[in-house]
Amino acid sequence: MAITVSLVALFGLVLFFLLRSKTLGWGSAFIAIMFGFFLASTGASGPINQLTHAAIDAIGNL
């Protein structure tokens, strides 16, 4: 768990700087995929899924 959280932090930080510097390419796509992969294995995946479902339900009710 500690390794997963640190990898999420590392990939998130790298992705943040890549997006901020507008350096988009294959490398940043890989970073984004790895960030999502490691984020899904943390405890944050449950609240993120609930938030996504709530947003989809809210859009459907408009």
Side-chain angles (χ1 to χ4, degrees):
M1 179 68 176
I3 293 174
T4 303
V5 173
S6 62
L7 285 175
V8 168
L10 174 69
F11 283 124
L13 187 65
V14 170
L15 182 61
F16 171 76
F17 284 116
L18 285 173
L19 290 174
R20 185 163 182 193
S21 67
K22 296 183 175 109
T23 308
L24 302 174
W26 290 105
S28 57
F30 175 75
I31 294 296
I33 290 169
M34 294 306 292
F35 177 69
F37 176 76
F38 285 109
L39 184 64
S41 64
T42 64
S45 63
I48 290 171
N49 285 334
Q50 291 172 355
L51 179 66
T52 304
H53 288 291
I56 291 171
D57 289 339
I59 290 171
N61 291 331
L62 290 178

